[in-house]
Amino acid sequence: MIYDHLVVRYGELSLKGKNRRHFESQLFETVKRKMRPFQGLNMSKHFDRIVIELNGQSYEPIVKSLQDIFGIHSISLAVRAENDLEAIQKAALIALNEAIEGKKTFKVTGKRSLKSFPVNSMQLNQEVGGYLLRNTEGLTVDVHNPDVNVKVEVKDTGTYISSKSFEGAGGLPIGVGGKAMLMLSGGIDSPVAGYLTMKRGVRIEGVHFHSPPFTSERAKQKVIDLTQELTRYSGGKIKLHVVPFTKIQQTIKDKIPSSYSMTIMRRVMLRITERLAENNHAMAIANGENLGQVASQTMHSMYAINEVTNMPILRPVITMDKLEIMNISHRIGTYDISIRPYEDCCTIFLPSAPKTKPKREKAIRFEKNIENLEELIEEAVNDVETLILEEGKSTDETFDDLL
Ligand code: ATP
Ligand code: MG
């Protein structure tokens, strides 16, 4: 093992001139927090990258953990050499041999950030490339589509040579995009929506509507576990607001024609989520809504439900096929939790045939049947149970902390 450094590169950050410093410091904070379990690392922030000195630690678990951080474009394994051409050539040879694994072509991409270094970028390519050709057998240079790209970057702290890279999560660093309340049902779609919302740099807090005893503790635990899984990407803690929804569900069942109960229930959920957003300084609501064929997913339905709020609603999976959403949920680790069989509040109370094309005017009219709706909403908001989930802590530990 020759690699002693990781070079962490930002992607889109380079495009955002003015906000750049803010973005970078948010990202650096997240990286530092994420690296806490790994002892003995040295981290430093540079113009367009973070350099992590491994100090003897193996890189695999560290790279894996860095791949969960939004705003990171790529992670390269690097070896550091002194700023001396001969030392650079030797290190480049080791890095090339490490990565070539039977492949045939390479190129050298030199970059001289330290202007006082006597060899410029172009000359670096030639001097290092020539040395590699002389000291290997059967390899050729391919500048357009090489099997291995040996990157050589001369900086004031030394020269970093890398030949192996891993893809980062992309997106923007968490915390640069405000906060949204994520409506989290326990299904497959809403955790994916949460992941994609965070990918744009937006912090999330979860909101879950729970109707005990019609929905079980295990259904609630499922949502807690999903939130816990999402903390991997959140750069720290995520709050989860569990809203007591039984009384409202029962009232809807008693007072609303069953073909409209789903529409009214959704309108009430949205109102409550908006209140929670205001109380917690969030400026948007995110959910797992999708345009589809079932009643809760038609555009008519969305039109009749959305009316109750002016707050932006982010619907990251709106255009995706179920299979695309499932693929993401596998990748981010939420799928196995989402498919646990416990019912959520909606499935239990709802009729088998809700209207696929509810009318807004009718929804408004039926809703008037519930004279104390405002009171019920206020009560639910006041009785919310808020949990705080934190990466790396089991849910039990987190609860102990709260007691
Ligand atoms: P999901 O897979 O996320 O459950 P879905 O395909 O089952 O979505 P619906 O059941 O129509 O679709 O729900 C649409 C969205 O409404 C969910 O993605 C979620 O954001 C929100 N939602 C539904 N039920 C709840 C609930 N009990 N608590 C919080 N949000 C909910
Ligand atoms: Mg659902």
Side-chain angles (χ1 to χ4, degrees):
M1 173 60 212
I2 55 127
Y3 294 107
D4 46 14
H5 287 74
L6 295 176
V7 178
V8 176
R9 292 185 175 81
Y10 323 145
E12 284 182 63
L13 283 195
S14 48
L15 303 172
K16 314 269 182 193
K18 259 201 285 180
N19 295 326
R20 182 178 186 119
R21 209 155 349 156
H22 174 52
F23 284 28
E24 281 182 8
S25 58
Q26 285 286 345
L27 184 61
F28 194 53
E29 283 312 305
T30 305
V31 171
K32 275 200 297 197
R33 194 172 308 119
K34 194 88 175 165
M35 292 296 101
R36 250 186 235 153
F38 305 100
Q39 270 138 36
L41 303 178
N42 287 341
M43 273 173 265
S44 52
K45 191 151 100 46
H46 303 265
F47 172 66
D48 57 355
R49 71 203 55 210
I50 294 168
V51 175
I52 300 177
E53 266 180 68
L54 291 171
N55 292 326
Q57 298 237 34
S58 71
Y59 68 81
E60 285 96 344
I62 297 173
V63 168
K64 210 158 170 290
S65 185
L66 289 167
Q67 284 179 309
D68 289 342
I69 302 176
F70 293 124
I72 292 178
H73 182 75
S74 71
I75 303 138
S76 306
L77 299 176
V79 54
R80 184 184 165 281
E82 292 305 320
N83 288 341
D84 165 78
L85 185 58
E86 207 175 306
I88 293 170
Q89 287 171 323
K90 283 187 178 148
L93 181 60
I94 298 171
L96 176 65
N97 282 331
E98 188 90 1
I100 200 79
E101 290 165 351
K103 297 178 205 120
K104 292 279 175 257
T105 62
F106 75 93
K107 80 167 177 177
V108 175
T109 310
K111 189 173 169 199
R112 180 184 64 166
S113 308
L114 179 69
K115 293 302 165 206
S116 61
F117 190 68
V119 185
N120 70 22
S121 302
M122 189 77 100
Q123 291 162 338
L124 266 177
N125 293 347
Q126 288 160 0
E127 295 290 338
V128 178
Y131 180 87
L132 294 179
L133 281 175
R134 288 195 298 279
N135 289 280
T136 51
E137 265 170 41
L139 299 186
T140 53
V141 170
D142 178 347
V143 292
H144 298 297
N145 193 20
D147 297 323
V148 176
N149 186 358
V150 182
K151 294 182 192 157
V152 177
E153 313 193 33
V154 185
K155 307 179 85 67
D156 55 354
T157 50
T159 297
Y160 297 90
I161 296 138
S162 61
S163 55
K164 250 189 187 171
S165 289
F166 302 87
E167 212 178 317
L172 298 171
I174 199 92
V176 305
K179 186 162 71 184
M181 303 308 268
L182 171 70
M183 299 176 71
L184 201 53
S185 65
I188 292 172
D189 300 352
S190 40
V192 171
Y195 171 86
L196 293 171
T197 301
M198 289 191 278
K199 184 169 183 183
R200 300 322 297 169
V202 177
R203 276 190 204 289
I204 57 167
E205 292 187 10
V207 177
H208 177 63
F209 294 87
H210 184 48
S211 304
F214 305 102
T215 52
S216 66
E217 272 307 297
R218 284 195 282 186
K220 176 174 154 189
Q221 187 61 43
K222 183 176 167 185
V223 175
I224 293 172
D225 293 347
L226 284 169
T227 311
Q228 178 72 48
E229 198 61 30
L230 290 176
T231 60
R232 267 170 63 191
Y233 312 100
S234 74
K237 302 174 183 176
I238 301 182
K239 271 193 201 173
L240 173 63
H241 307 276
V242 181
V243 183
F245 206 48
T246 315
K247 205 163 160 188
I248 291 174
Q249 292 263 57
Q250 268 167 335
T251 311
I252 291 172
K253 192 172 176 352
D254 292 345
K255 306 246 166 126
I256 306 290
S258 70
S259 59
Y260 270 77
S261 59
M262 201 271 316
T263 309
I264 304 298
M265 181 193 76
R266 286 288 154 83
R267 286 167 62 96
V268 178
M269 281 185 175
L270 210 48
R271 286 193 183 92
I272 293 176
T273 306
E274 182 189 55
R275 300 277 169 98
L276 292 172
E278 280 160 3
N279 294 348
N280 291 282
H281 315 288
M283 289 184 290
I285 293 168
N287 67 25
E289 277 176 334
N290 189 268
L291 275 178
Q293 294 307 309
V294 301
S296 60
Q297 300 181 340
T298 62
M299 195 180 287
H300 290 78
S301 168
M302 212 177 284
Y303 181 76
I305 293 166
N306 204 150
E307 195 225 348
V308 302
T309 180
N310 268 328
M311 214 172 244
I313 300 183
L314 311 179
R315 300 179 174 95
V317 303
I318 189 87
T319 60
M320 287 186 191
D321 293 341
K322 196 71 191 177
L323 205 59
E324 292 177 84
I325 302 174
M326 271 166 50
N327 285 341
I328 300 177
S329 87
H330 275 296
R331 187 160 54 74
I332 67 175
T334 55
Y335 182 79
D336 289 334
I337 307 172
S338 289
I339 60 168
R340 289 184 205 159
Y342 314 113
E343 303 270 11
D344 72 16
C345 62
C346 320
T347 24
I348 282 177
F349 277 94
L350 293 180
S352 48
K355 272 236 173 316
T356 49
K357 294 184 177 179
K359 297 239 164 29
R360 199 186 251 191
E361 303 66 36
K362 279 197 177 173
I364 295 169
R365 181 143 46 82
F366 289 141
E367 214 169 64
K368 297 217 166 82
N369 294 353
I370 309 175
E371 297 112 22
N372 62 340
L373 183 59
E374 175 54 32
E375 247 165 71
L376 289 172
I377 288 175
E378 236 166 71
E379 193 182 327
V381 169
N382 290 337
D383 292 347
V384 157
E385 176 194 11
T386 299
L387 311 173
I388 300 170
L389 287 309
E390 185 172 357
E391 182 180 19
K393 290 203 176 182
S394 77
T395 0
D396 294 348
E397 278 175 72
T398 315
F399 288 143
D400 285 347
D401 284 0
L402 290 173
L403 293 175

